[in-house]
Amino acid sequence: MMRLSRDVAGPCLAPGGSVVAVGAFDGLHRGHQALLAEVRERASTLGLTPVVVSFEPLPRAFFSPEPVARLSSVREKLRGFHAAGMEHVLLLRFNHALTAMSAEDFVRRVLVERLAAREVWVGGDFRFGNKRAGDVALLENMGSELGFTARTMPAVLLEGARVSATRVRMLLAAGEFAGATPLLGRPFVIEGKIEYGKQLGRQLGYPTANIHLRDRSSPVHGIFAVRVGLGESECSWPGVASLGVRPTVNEVPEPLLEVHLFDFEGDLYGQRMAVEFVAKLRDEQKFDNLDDLTVQMAKDARQARELLGMNPRLSEA
């Protein structure tokens, strides 16, 4: 069972020694997966505990005055760590206290005292500590003094270019889901619990299952053809989705993911839903009235059915 801790202070989490991966790990793309696989393998070889250190909120989001799109929720990230074989996650609260900590203190307090690190694995461009003063060279120097080895993971390349979260975000924002999938090692998905909405979609003939993103900023916005997983089922259900602020009705101050599942009957409230984005149909737009919106929704449904290999005429039934 994977254990989760949140604080810098506390007893040593791996008294027998650990192999540690450190990073933000947003999206757990193939580069992250390769790093975690190496940590798991080294820990197994050395008889140590595989541990990952990560941060919430994401460091880049903490420092940015604007919302930063993220590829995975905290829940999704933790599930990915578990799947990668990590035995302990130290998910540090990225706050003013942590940003004020010197790089040297981070090494001593987190890596040595809290984790008894024997190997520390990071990306080649990893920076840490107050004013980002810490780097791989500092890790190597302190490691020789404090009893651990610093190692860097070579970049994972795909079609000659480095796999990175930034590259994935750019592809998703452009609606290039087929291009993002190989970098992630899986389709891009947004998960969440289905909540009650305003029931406007039902009134217009397109009932929706809704996920409120709240303070999570998504890299994708607009209207999409999607496939949806419900609960623990491995089956996917075809549908059409809107992710945005519903400009025609001006009801949502925060992004809302609304999904109309084709030919579905049943009560979904309270269930978890995983929405796989297959293709972007168009950007969100404001219509003069609900009649015009309904006409466009029918067109969107027809196009989504066709893209998903369904009979587009059924959207007119």
Side-chain angles (χ1 to χ4, degrees):
M1 179 181 294
M2 186 180 77
R3 295 170 294 167
L4 172 66
S5 301
R6 297 300 314 273
D7 300 314
V8 170
C12 181
L13 300 175
S18 66
V19 179
V20 184
V22 188
F25 297 105
D26 184 33
L28 283 175
H29 57 62
R30 288 179 61 182
H32 298 145
Q33 294 166 31
L35 175 59
L36 295 175
E38 188 67 35
V39 165
R40 184 185 65 241
E41 180 64 27
R42 290 294 298 162
S44 177
T45 299
L46 299 172
L48 302 173
T49 302
V51 176
V52 59
V53 177
S54 194
F55 312 94
E56 287 294 339
L58 299 177
R60 64 194 304 268
F62 180 83
F63 289 113
S64 175
E66 302 296 329
V68 172
R70 61 181 299 161
L71 302 175
S72 57
S73 66
V74 177
R75 179 190 179 100
E76 291 162 357
K77 186 161 72 169
L78 291 175
R79 190 167 63 244
F81 290 152
H82 182 265
M86 298 298 101
E87 292 184 19
H88 208 120
V89 177
L90 182 55
L91 189 65
L92 294 175
R93 296 175 175 86
F94 201 86
N95 52 26
H96 290 291
L98 191 63
T99 62
M101 184 185 296
S102 70
E104 292 81 0
D105 277 351
F106 182 88
V107 171
R108 291 189 176 91
R109 295 177 60 187
V110 176
L111 300 181
V112 177
E113 296 176 11
R114 196 82 159 101
L115 300 177
R118 298 293 178 265
E119 288 187 2
V120 177
W121 287 79
V122 296
D125 58 354
F126 179 66
R127 304 298 293 262
F128 66 103
N130 183 245
K131 299 182 180 179
R132 293 169 53 84
D135 57 12
V136 174
L138 184 141
L139 281 176
E140 291 173 341
N141 292 335
M142 293 193 70
S144 62
E145 170 194 345
L146 298 173
F148 67 86
T149 302
R151 299 187 182 276
T152 57
M153 188 70 190
V156 173
L157 303 180
L158 191 63
E159 297 181 353
R162 177 174 173 266
V163 174
S164 70
T166 298
R167 186 179 168 198
V168 174
R169 290 187 193 100
M170 291 176 62
L171 288 167
L172 293 176
E176 297 181 21
F177 300 112
T181 295
L183 276 66
L184 288 168
R186 64 192 184 282
F188 176 67
V189 169
I190 290 180
E191 297 184 9
K193 189 175 182 180
I194 299 171
E195 301 181 48
Y196 285 97
K198 298 290 186 178
Q199 306 292 313
L200 179 61
R202 185 176 301 276
Q203 296 172 33
L204 300 178
Y206 293 91
T208 59
N210 305 322
I211 295 176
H212 292 269
L213 299 189
R214 295 184 170 81
D215 58 352
R216 175 179 175 181
S217 180
S218 169
V220 301
H221 301 87
I223 313 302
F224 306 90
V226 299
R227 293 191 180 279
V228 180
L230 299 171
E232 300 300 322
S233 172
E234 295 183 1
C235 298
S236 62
W237 204 281
V240 61
S242 167
L243 198 163
V245 295
R246 304 174 74 188
T248 300
V249 293
N250 294 317
E251 291 180 351
V252 184
E254 62 188 26
L256 177 70
L257 176 56
E258 302 175 281
V259 184
H260 172 67
L261 282 69
F262 295 135
D263 312 320
F264 181 88
E265 294 183 4
D267 184 4
L268 294 174
Y269 293 116
Q271 292 192 44
R272 293 198 65 82
M273 175 170 67
V275 182
E276 174 192 340
F277 292 79
V278 177
K280 184 170 183 176
L281 307 181
R282 61 178 176 87
D283 289 327
E284 209 177 19
Q285 64 187 98
K286 184 172 183 177
F287 294 92
D288 292 334
N289 53 65
L290 292 181
D291 288 340
D292 289 347
L293 172 61
T294 304
V295 170
Q296 183 61 54
M297 290 170 68
K299 293 178 180 178
D300 295 336
R302 189 161 54 247
Q303 185 181 2
R305 282 182 179 272
E306 189 170 2
L307 286 168
L308 296 169
M310 304 176 70
N311 185 350
R313 293 185 178 277
L314 290 178
S315 64
E316 302 171 356

